[in-house]
């Protein structure tokens, strides 16, 4: 298995631009998570899905952020408009809930976003 | 809601020395506990997990952790570290049911020098 695949790995954009981050989870996994990592706040859960349905989006910072999962093999995290404080590494992770009833997450390599 | 506190943000050690990275959690319900490792410019990898059973859990690369319910702790240990263990280590907790998200601590940077 290729693991969790994220794109782009690096994105540099200017304030006000739209940013779209993409994630392909491991085939067969039924949970998908988006996390954001910064030096100041560590790893923050933004949103997660179960069977393509958003379960908890309370971590999404504000209305500029949105996430979708149109099918079991693809998810996007969109920021519009982007701001310099959105600069961070964004991780996608997936898991199979039937694994001992616990969420053992497999992480992607991350998308490093820099907003100038 | 659960929370995780990693008591040390940085731990410098010499090669072949023992190390302990401390983690305390808070939750009103039973939990699962995890340690993940992040090498530079990479995603997180699972080191070990406690789901149930024996409170001493062994993971990859010679790491182990002990679940202490009374002290709500899940400290990570290794008897002899290598340069290659230099990385950031994250403790995480999730509630005792399938489908709940992991909540992570802020991480501990382990720096191993010769």
């Amino acid at each position: 298995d290729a693991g969790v695949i994220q794109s782009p790995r690096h994105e540099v954009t200017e304030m006000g631009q739209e940013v779209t981050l993409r994630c392909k989870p491991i085939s067969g996994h039924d949970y998908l998570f988006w996390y954001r990592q910064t030096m100041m706040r560590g790893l923050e859960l933004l949103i997660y899905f179960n069977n393509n349905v958003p379960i908890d989006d309370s971590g999404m910072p504000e209305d500029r952020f949105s996430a979708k999962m149109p099918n079991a093999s693809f998810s996007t995290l969109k920021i519009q408009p982007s701001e310099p404080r959105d600069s961070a590494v964004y991780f996608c992770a997936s898991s199979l809930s039937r694994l001992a009833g616990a969420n053992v997450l497999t992480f992607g390599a991350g998308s490093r976003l820099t907003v100038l | 809601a659960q929370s995780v506190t990693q008591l040390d943000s940085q731990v410098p050690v010499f090669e072949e020395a023992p190390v302990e990275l401390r983690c305390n959690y808070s939750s009103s319900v039973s939990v699962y506990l995890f340690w993940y490792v992040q090498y530079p410019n990479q995603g997180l990898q699972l080191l070990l997990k406690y789901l149930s059973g024996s409170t001493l859990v062994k993971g990859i690369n010679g790491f182990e952790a002990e679940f202490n319910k009374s002290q709500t702790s899940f400290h990570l240990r290794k008897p002899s570290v290598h340069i290659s263990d230099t990385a950031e280590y994250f403790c995480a907790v999730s509630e005792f049911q399938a489908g709940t998200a992991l909540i992570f601590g802020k991480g501990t940077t382990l720096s191993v020098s010769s």
Side-chain angles (χ1 to χ4, degrees), chain A residues 9 31 33 35 37 40-43 45 48 55 91 97 99-110 112, chain B residues 32 34 36 38 41-46 49 51 88 90 94-106:
Chain A
R9 289 293 313 277
Y31 280 87
F33 303 80
Y35 286 87
Q37 184 179 34
M40 291 298 294
R41 302 172 71 93
L43 270 164
L45 175 67
Y48 72 99
I55 302 301
F91 286 102
S97 62
L99 272 179
N103 276 315
V104 180
L105 272 61
T106 301
F107 280 80
R112 182 177 295 276
Chain B
Y32 298 126
F34 306 80
Y36 279 79
Q38 184 180 29
N41 300 314
Q42 295 186 26
L44 280 73
Q45 303 173 32
L46 180 67
K49 60 184 183 289
L51 305 180
E88 189 151 16
F90 293 92
S94 72
E95 290 183 355
F96 199 71
Q97 62 182 25
T100 57
L102 289 189
I103 303 301
F104 285 86
K106 291 202 170 182

Short mmCIF file of all heavy atoms in Angstrom, two decimals, chain A residues 9 31 33 35 37 40-43 45 48 55 91 97 99-110 112, chain B residues 32 34 36 38 41-46 49 51 88 90 94-106:
data_model
loop_
_atom_site.label_atom_id
_atom_site.label_comp_id
_atom_site.label_asym_id
_atom_site.label_seq_id
_atom_site.Cartn_x
_atom_site.Cartn_y
_atom_site.Cartn_z
N ARG A 9 3.28 18.85 -1.56
CA ARG A 9 4.13 18.73 -0.38
C ARG A 9 4.52 20.11 0.15
O ARG A 9 4.69 20.30 1.35
CB ARG A 9 5.40 17.93 -0.70
CG ARG A 9 5.16 16.45 -0.94
CD ARG A 9 4.70 15.73 0.33
NE ARG A 9 5.50 16.04 1.50
CZ ARG A 9 6.65 15.47 1.81
NH1 ARG A 9 7.15 14.54 1.02
NH2 ARG A 9 7.30 15.81 2.91
N TYR A 31 -12.00 6.18 8.25
CA TYR A 31 -11.88 7.48 8.92
C TYR A 31 -10.78 8.28 8.25
O TYR A 31 -9.72 7.76 7.89
CB TYR A 31 -11.55 7.30 10.41
CG TYR A 31 -12.73 6.96 11.26
CD1 TYR A 31 -13.15 5.64 11.43
CD2 TYR A 31 -13.46 7.96 11.90
CE1 TYR A 31 -14.24 5.33 12.20
CE2 TYR A 31 -14.56 7.66 12.69
CZ TYR A 31 -14.94 6.34 12.83
OH TYR A 31 -16.04 6.03 13.60
N PHE A 33 -8.74 12.15 8.83
CA PHE A 33 -8.52 13.26 9.75
C PHE A 33 -7.62 14.31 9.08
O PHE A 33 -6.69 13.98 8.38
CB PHE A 33 -7.80 12.78 11.02
CG PHE A 33 -8.52 11.68 11.76
CD1 PHE A 33 -8.44 10.37 11.33
CD2 PHE A 33 -9.27 11.96 12.88
CE1 PHE A 33 -9.09 9.36 12.01
CE2 PHE A 33 -9.93 10.96 13.57
CZ PHE A 33 -9.84 9.64 13.13
N TYR A 35 -5.17 17.41 10.37
CA TYR A 35 -4.50 18.08 11.48
C TYR A 35 -3.64 19.22 10.94
O TYR A 35 -3.18 19.19 9.80
CB TYR A 35 -3.57 17.11 12.23
CG TYR A 35 -4.25 16.10 13.11
CD1 TYR A 35 -4.69 14.88 12.60
CD2 TYR A 35 -4.43 16.34 14.47
CE1 TYR A 35 -5.31 13.95 13.42
CE2 TYR A 35 -5.04 15.40 15.30
CZ TYR A 35 -5.47 14.21 14.77
OH TYR A 35 -6.08 13.28 15.59
N GLN A 37 -0.16 21.52 12.09
CA GLN A 37 0.96 21.57 13.02
C GLN A 37 1.68 22.90 12.92
O GLN A 37 2.13 23.28 11.84
CB GLN A 37 1.94 20.42 12.75
CG GLN A 37 3.08 20.35 13.76
CD GLN A 37 4.04 19.20 13.49
OE1 GLN A 37 4.28 18.82 12.35
NE2 GLN A 37 4.57 18.61 14.55
N MET A 40 3.76 26.98 17.63
CA MET A 40 3.10 27.56 18.80
C MET A 40 2.02 26.64 19.37
O MET A 40 1.86 26.53 20.59
CB MET A 40 2.47 28.91 18.43
CG MET A 40 3.48 29.99 18.15
SD MET A 40 4.48 30.35 19.60
CE MET A 40 3.24 31.02 20.70
N ARG A 41 1.27 25.98 18.51
CA ARG A 41 0.07 25.27 18.96
C ARG A 41 0.19 23.76 18.84
O ARG A 41 -0.73 23.03 19.25
CB ARG A 41 -1.14 25.76 18.18
CG ARG A 41 -1.38 27.27 18.33
CD ARG A 41 -2.48 27.74 17.38
NE ARG A 41 -3.76 27.25 17.82
CZ ARG A 41 -4.59 27.91 18.60
NH1 ARG A 41 -4.25 29.09 19.06
NH2 ARG A 41 -5.77 27.40 18.94
N GLY A 42 1.30 23.28 18.29
CA GLY A 42 1.47 21.84 18.15
C GLY A 42 0.53 21.26 17.11
O GLY A 42 0.21 21.93 16.13
N LEU A 43 0.07 20.04 17.33
CA LEU A 43 -0.82 19.35 16.40
C LEU A 43 -2.27 19.58 16.82
O LEU A 43 -2.69 19.16 17.88
CB LEU A 43 -0.54 17.85 16.42
CG LEU A 43 0.49 17.32 15.46
CD1 LEU A 43 0.93 15.94 15.86
CD2 LEU A 43 -0.06 17.29 14.04
N LEU A 45 -6.32 19.12 15.81
CA LEU A 45 -7.31 18.45 14.97
C LEU A 45 -8.22 19.50 14.35
O LEU A 45 -8.82 20.30 15.08
CB LEU A 45 -8.12 17.46 15.79
CG LEU A 45 -9.27 16.76 15.06
CD1 LEU A 45 -8.74 15.83 13.99
CD2 LEU A 45 -10.14 16.00 16.06
N TYR A 48 -12.68 15.72 11.12
CA TYR A 48 -12.54 14.34 10.68
C TYR A 48 -13.84 13.79 10.13
O TYR A 48 -14.92 14.28 10.44
CB TYR A 48 -11.94 13.43 11.76
CG TYR A 48 -12.79 13.07 12.95
CD1 TYR A 48 -13.45 11.84 13.00
CD2 TYR A 48 -12.86 13.90 14.05
CE1 TYR A 48 -14.18 11.47 14.11
CE2 TYR A 48 -13.60 13.54 15.17
CZ TYR A 48 -14.25 12.31 15.20
OH TYR A 48 -14.97 11.95 16.31
N ILE A 55 -17.71 14.36 10.88
CA ILE A 55 -18.18 14.01 12.21
C ILE A 55 -17.98 15.16 13.19
O ILE A 55 -18.84 15.44 14.01
CB ILE A 55 -17.46 12.74 12.74
CG1 ILE A 55 -17.68 11.57 11.79
CG2 ILE A 55 -17.91 12.41 14.15
CD1 ILE A 55 -19.13 11.19 11.57
N PHE A 91 -1.48 18.00 8.00
CA PHE A 91 -1.38 16.55 7.87
C PHE A 91 -2.76 15.93 7.67
O PHE A 91 -3.74 16.33 8.30
CB PHE A 91 -0.77 15.92 9.13
CG PHE A 91 0.71 16.14 9.27
CD1 PHE A 91 1.20 17.10 10.13
CD2 PHE A 91 1.60 15.38 8.53
CE1 PHE A 91 2.56 17.30 10.27
CE2 PHE A 91 2.97 15.58 8.65
CZ PHE A 91 3.46 16.54 9.52
N SER A 97 -11.51 1.75 11.61
CA SER A 97 -12.09 1.69 12.95
C SER A 97 -12.17 0.28 13.51
O SER A 97 -12.24 0.09 14.70
CB SER A 97 -13.48 2.32 12.94
OG SER A 97 -14.34 1.60 12.08
N LEU A 99 -9.93 -1.82 13.65
CA LEU A 99 -8.66 -2.26 14.21
C LEU A 99 -8.71 -2.16 15.73
O LEU A 99 -8.45 -1.11 16.30
CB LEU A 99 -7.51 -1.40 13.69
CG LEU A 99 -6.86 -1.82 12.40
CD1 LEU A 99 -5.77 -0.84 12.01
CD2 LEU A 99 -6.27 -3.21 12.51
N ALA A 100 -9.05 -3.23 16.38
CA ALA A 100 -9.10 -3.29 17.84
C ALA A 100 -9.98 -2.20 18.42
O ALA A 100 -9.81 -1.81 19.56
CB ALA A 100 -7.70 -3.21 18.43
N GLY A 101 -10.88 -1.65 17.62
CA GLY A 101 -11.79 -0.63 18.11
C GLY A 101 -11.12 0.68 18.43
O GLY A 101 -11.70 1.55 19.05
N ALA A 102 -9.91 0.85 17.98
CA ALA A 102 -9.20 2.08 18.33
C ALA A 102 -8.65 2.72 17.08
O ALA A 102 -8.35 2.05 16.11
CB ALA A 102 -8.05 1.80 19.29
N ASN A 103 -8.53 4.02 17.13
CA ASN A 103 -8.03 4.74 15.97
C ASN A 103 -6.52 4.75 15.92
O ASN A 103 -5.87 5.60 16.50
CB ASN A 103 -8.57 6.16 15.95
CG ASN A 103 -9.94 6.22 15.34
OD1 ASN A 103 -10.19 5.61 14.31
ND2 ASN A 103 -10.84 6.93 15.96
N VAL A 104 -5.96 3.79 15.23
CA VAL A 104 -4.52 3.80 14.98
C VAL A 104 -4.33 4.55 13.67
O VAL A 104 -4.61 4.02 12.60
CB VAL A 104 -3.97 2.37 14.88
CG1 VAL A 104 -2.48 2.41 14.61
CG2 VAL A 104 -4.25 1.62 16.17
N LEU A 105 -3.87 5.77 13.76
CA LEU A 105 -3.79 6.62 12.60
C LEU A 105 -2.53 6.39 11.79
O LEU A 105 -1.44 6.21 12.35
CB LEU A 105 -3.82 8.10 13.02
CG LEU A 105 -5.19 8.76 13.17
CD1 LEU A 105 -6.01 8.06 14.22
CD2 LEU A 105 -5.04 10.23 13.47
N THR A 106 -2.69 6.40 10.47
CA THR A 106 -1.56 6.44 9.56
C THR A 106 -1.53 7.82 8.93
O THR A 106 -2.51 8.26 8.33
CB THR A 106 -1.69 5.36 8.47
OG1 THR A 106 -1.76 4.07 9.08
CG2 THR A 106 -0.47 5.41 7.55
N PHE A 107 -0.39 8.49 9.06
CA PHE A 107 -0.27 9.86 8.61
C PHE A 107 0.37 9.95 7.23
O PHE A 107 1.24 9.14 6.88
CB PHE A 107 0.59 10.67 9.58
CG PHE A 107 -0.13 11.13 10.81
CD1 PHE A 107 -0.34 10.26 11.86
CD2 PHE A 107 -0.62 12.42 10.90
CE1 PHE A 107 -1.03 10.66 13.00
CE2 PHE A 107 -1.31 12.83 12.04
CZ PHE A 107 -1.51 11.95 13.09
N GLY A 108 -0.04 10.97 6.49
CA GLY A 108 0.68 11.35 5.29
C GLY A 108 1.92 12.13 5.64
O GLY A 108 2.17 12.44 6.81
N ALA A 109 2.68 12.49 4.62
CA ALA A 109 3.94 13.21 4.84
C ALA A 109 3.73 14.69 5.12
O ALA A 109 4.65 15.38 5.54
CB ALA A 109 4.85 13.03 3.64
N GLY A 110 2.51 15.18 4.90
CA GLY A 110 2.22 16.57 5.21
C GLY A 110 2.34 17.50 4.03
O GLY A 110 3.06 17.22 3.06
N ARG A 112 3.33 21.44 3.52
CA ARG A 112 3.86 22.64 4.19
C ARG A 112 3.36 23.87 3.44
O ARG A 112 3.71 24.07 2.27
CB ARG A 112 5.37 22.61 4.23
CG ARG A 112 5.98 23.81 4.95
CD ARG A 112 7.50 23.69 5.03
NE ARG A 112 7.89 22.56 5.86
CZ ARG A 112 8.00 22.58 7.18
NH1 ARG A 112 7.74 23.71 7.84
NH2 ARG A 112 8.39 21.51 7.84
N TYR B 32 -7.56 5.19 25.19
CA TYR B 32 -6.44 4.55 24.54
C TYR B 32 -5.29 5.55 24.53
O TYR B 32 -5.53 6.76 24.42
CB TYR B 32 -6.78 4.18 23.09
CG TYR B 32 -7.91 3.20 22.92
CD1 TYR B 32 -8.99 3.50 22.10
CD2 TYR B 32 -7.90 1.96 23.55
CE1 TYR B 32 -10.03 2.60 21.90
CE2 TYR B 32 -8.93 1.06 23.36
CZ TYR B 32 -10.01 1.38 22.54
OH TYR B 32 -11.03 0.49 22.36
N PHE B 34 -1.21 6.51 23.01
CA PHE B 34 -0.30 6.30 21.89
C PHE B 34 0.95 7.15 22.05
O PHE B 34 0.91 8.23 22.65
CB PHE B 34 -0.97 6.70 20.56
CG PHE B 34 -2.29 6.03 20.29
CD1 PHE B 34 -3.45 6.49 20.88
CD2 PHE B 34 -2.37 4.95 19.43
CE1 PHE B 34 -4.68 5.88 20.64
CE2 PHE B 34 -3.59 4.33 19.17
CZ PHE B 34 -4.74 4.80 19.78
N TYR B 36 3.70 8.62 19.16
CA TYR B 36 4.11 8.73 17.76
C TYR B 36 5.47 9.42 17.71
O TYR B 36 5.81 10.24 18.57
CB TYR B 36 3.10 9.56 16.96
CG TYR B 36 1.87 8.81 16.52
CD1 TYR B 36 0.83 8.57 17.42
CD2 TYR B 36 1.73 8.34 15.22
CE1 TYR B 36 -0.31 7.88 17.01
CE2 TYR B 36 0.60 7.66 14.81
CZ TYR B 36 -0.42 7.44 15.71
OH TYR B 36 -1.54 6.75 15.30
N GLN B 38 8.10 11.67 15.06
CA GLN B 38 8.18 12.44 13.81
C GLN B 38 9.64 12.78 13.54
O GLN B 38 10.25 13.55 14.29
CB GLN B 38 7.35 13.71 13.89
CG GLN B 38 7.32 14.51 12.60
CD GLN B 38 6.50 15.78 12.71
OE1 GLN B 38 6.37 16.37 13.78
NE2 GLN B 38 5.92 16.20 11.59
N ASN B 41 10.98 16.63 8.70
CA ASN B 41 10.33 16.73 7.38
C ASN B 41 9.55 15.48 7.00
O ASN B 41 9.40 15.18 5.80
CB ASN B 41 11.36 17.05 6.30
CG ASN B 41 12.06 18.36 6.56
OD1 ASN B 41 11.41 19.36 6.87
ND2 ASN B 41 13.38 18.38 6.48
N GLN B 42 9.08 14.75 7.99
CA GLN B 42 8.27 13.57 7.72
C GLN B 42 6.97 13.63 8.50
O GLN B 42 6.80 14.47 9.38
CB GLN B 42 9.04 12.30 8.09
CG GLN B 42 10.28 12.06 7.25
CD GLN B 42 10.92 10.73 7.56
OE1 GLN B 42 10.25 9.79 8.01
NE2 GLN B 42 12.22 10.62 7.32
N GLY B 43 6.07 12.73 8.16
CA GLY B 43 4.84 12.60 8.91
C GLY B 43 5.09 11.83 10.20
O GLY B 43 6.21 11.45 10.52
N LEU B 44 4.02 11.60 10.94
CA LEU B 44 4.13 10.90 12.22
C LEU B 44 4.03 9.39 12.00
O LEU B 44 3.23 8.93 11.19
CB LEU B 44 3.02 11.34 13.16
CG LEU B 44 3.24 12.66 13.89
CD1 LEU B 44 3.10 13.83 12.95
CD2 LEU B 44 2.26 12.79 15.05
N GLN B 45 4.83 8.65 12.76
CA GLN B 45 4.79 7.19 12.71
C GLN B 45 4.43 6.66 14.10
O GLN B 45 4.92 7.18 15.10
CB GLN B 45 6.16 6.63 12.32
CG GLN B 45 6.72 7.10 11.01
CD GLN B 45 8.13 6.62 10.81
OE1 GLN B 45 8.51 5.54 11.28
NE2 GLN B 45 8.95 7.40 10.13
N LEU B 46 3.63 5.62 14.13
CA LEU B 46 3.25 5.03 15.40
C LEU B 46 4.44 4.30 16.02
O LEU B 46 5.05 3.44 15.39
CB LEU B 46 2.09 4.06 15.18
CG LEU B 46 1.57 3.36 16.43
CD1 LEU B 46 0.89 4.36 17.36
CD2 LEU B 46 0.59 2.25 16.05
N LYS B 49 1.32 1.61 21.26
CA LYS B 49 -0.03 1.96 21.70
C LYS B 49 -0.42 1.10 22.89
O LYS B 49 0.01 -0.04 23.03
CB LYS B 49 -1.03 1.75 20.56
CG LYS B 49 -1.12 0.33 20.04
CD LYS B 49 -2.05 0.23 18.86
CE LYS B 49 -2.20 -1.21 18.37
NZ LYS B 49 -0.99 -1.71 17.71
N LEU B 51 -3.92 -0.26 24.42
CA LEU B 51 -5.36 -0.40 24.22
C LEU B 51 -6.00 -1.06 25.44
O LEU B 51 -7.06 -0.65 25.90
CB LEU B 51 -5.65 -1.22 22.97
CG LEU B 51 -5.00 -0.70 21.67
CD1 LEU B 51 -5.37 -1.59 20.49
CD2 LEU B 51 -5.43 0.73 21.40
N GLU B 88 11.11 14.21 17.09
CA GLU B 88 10.08 14.75 17.98
C GLU B 88 9.10 13.63 18.31
O GLU B 88 8.70 12.86 17.42
CB GLU B 88 9.35 15.92 17.35
CG GLU B 88 8.43 16.64 18.32
CD GLU B 88 8.25 18.11 17.98
OE1 GLU B 88 8.57 18.51 16.86
OE2 GLU B 88 7.76 18.85 18.87
N PHE B 90 5.48 12.47 20.16
CA PHE B 90 4.16 12.96 20.54
C PHE B 90 3.39 11.88 21.29
O PHE B 90 3.28 10.74 20.83
CB PHE B 90 3.35 13.35 19.30
CG PHE B 90 3.89 14.55 18.58
CD1 PHE B 90 4.78 14.39 17.53
CD2 PHE B 90 3.49 15.82 18.93
CE1 PHE B 90 5.27 15.49 16.85
CE2 PHE B 90 3.97 16.93 18.25
CZ PHE B 90 4.87 16.77 17.22
N SER B 94 -7.05 8.93 22.96
CA SER B 94 -8.39 8.95 22.39
C SER B 94 -9.33 8.23 23.34
O SER B 94 -8.90 7.38 24.12
CB SER B 94 -8.43 8.30 21.00
OG SER B 94 -8.29 6.90 21.09
N GLU B 95 -10.58 8.59 23.27
CA GLU B 95 -11.57 7.97 24.13
C GLU B 95 -11.75 6.50 23.78
O GLU B 95 -11.46 6.09 22.65
CB GLU B 95 -12.90 8.71 24.05
CG GLU B 95 -12.85 10.08 24.69
CD GLU B 95 -14.19 10.78 24.66
OE1 GLU B 95 -15.15 10.23 24.06
OE2 GLU B 95 -14.29 11.87 25.24
N PHE B 96 -12.28 5.76 24.72
CA PHE B 96 -12.37 4.30 24.62
C PHE B 96 -13.56 3.88 23.76
O PHE B 96 -14.47 3.22 24.19
CB PHE B 96 -12.54 3.73 26.04
CG PHE B 96 -12.19 2.28 26.15
CD1 PHE B 96 -10.89 1.86 26.06
CD2 PHE B 96 -13.17 1.33 26.36
CE1 PHE B 96 -10.56 0.53 26.18
CE2 PHE B 96 -12.87 -0.01 26.48
CZ PHE B 96 -11.56 -0.41 26.39
N GLN B 97 -13.54 4.34 22.52
CA GLN B 97 -14.54 3.89 21.58
C GLN B 97 -14.02 4.15 20.18
O GLN B 97 -13.24 5.07 19.96
CB GLN B 97 -15.87 4.60 21.78
CG GLN B 97 -15.83 6.10 21.58
CD GLN B 97 -17.17 6.77 21.84
OE1 GLN B 97 -17.99 6.24 22.58
NE2 GLN B 97 -17.40 7.91 21.22
N ALA B 98 -14.47 3.32 19.26
CA ALA B 98 -13.99 3.47 17.90
C ALA B 98 -14.45 4.78 17.31
O ALA B 98 -15.55 5.25 17.60
CB ALA B 98 -14.52 2.31 17.05
N GLY B 99 -13.60 5.36 16.53
CA GLY B 99 -14.01 6.53 15.77
C GLY B 99 -13.81 7.85 16.44
O GLY B 99 -14.22 8.87 15.89
N THR B 100 -13.19 7.88 17.60
CA THR B 100 -12.90 9.19 18.18
C THR B 100 -11.50 9.61 17.77
O THR B 100 -10.62 8.79 17.56
CB THR B 100 -13.00 9.17 19.71
OG1 THR B 100 -12.12 8.18 20.22
CG2 THR B 100 -14.42 8.86 20.15
N ALA B 101 -11.32 10.90 17.66
CA ALA B 101 -10.05 11.42 17.15
C ALA B 101 -8.98 11.37 18.22
O ALA B 101 -9.26 11.36 19.42
CB ALA B 101 -10.25 12.85 16.68
N LEU B 102 -7.74 11.34 17.77
CA LEU B 102 -6.60 11.44 18.67
C LEU B 102 -6.36 12.91 19.03
O LEU B 102 -6.39 13.78 18.17
CB LEU B 102 -5.34 10.89 18.01
CG LEU B 102 -5.21 9.39 17.81
CD1 LEU B 102 -3.82 9.04 17.35
CD2 LEU B 102 -5.57 8.64 19.06
N ILE B 103 -6.11 13.12 20.31
CA ILE B 103 -5.69 14.45 20.79
C ILE B 103 -4.22 14.32 21.16
O ILE B 103 -3.85 13.45 21.96
CB ILE B 103 -6.52 14.90 21.99
CG1 ILE B 103 -8.02 14.90 21.64
CG2 ILE B 103 -6.06 16.28 22.46
CD1 ILE B 103 -8.38 15.79 20.47
N PHE B 104 -3.41 15.20 20.61
CA PHE B 104 -1.97 15.10 20.79
C PHE B 104 -1.44 16.09 21.81
O PHE B 104 -1.98 17.20 21.97
CB PHE B 104 -1.26 15.38 19.46
CG PHE B 104 -1.35 14.26 18.47
CD1 PHE B 104 -2.45 14.15 17.62
CD2 PHE B 104 -0.36 13.30 18.39
CE1 PHE B 104 -2.54 13.11 16.72
CE2 PHE B 104 -0.44 12.26 17.49
CZ PHE B 104 -1.53 12.16 16.65
N GLY B 105 -0.36 15.71 22.49
CA GLY B 105 0.41 16.66 23.27
C GLY B 105 1.22 17.53 22.34
O GLY B 105 1.23 17.33 21.12
N LYS B 106 1.93 18.49 22.92
CA LYS B 106 2.68 19.45 22.10
C LYS B 106 4.02 18.93 21.63
O LYS B 106 4.71 19.61 20.87
CB LYS B 106 2.85 20.76 22.86
CG LYS B 106 1.53 21.50 23.03
CD LYS B 106 1.73 22.97 23.27
CE LYS B 106 0.39 23.70 23.18
NZ LYS B 106 0.51 25.15 23.36
#
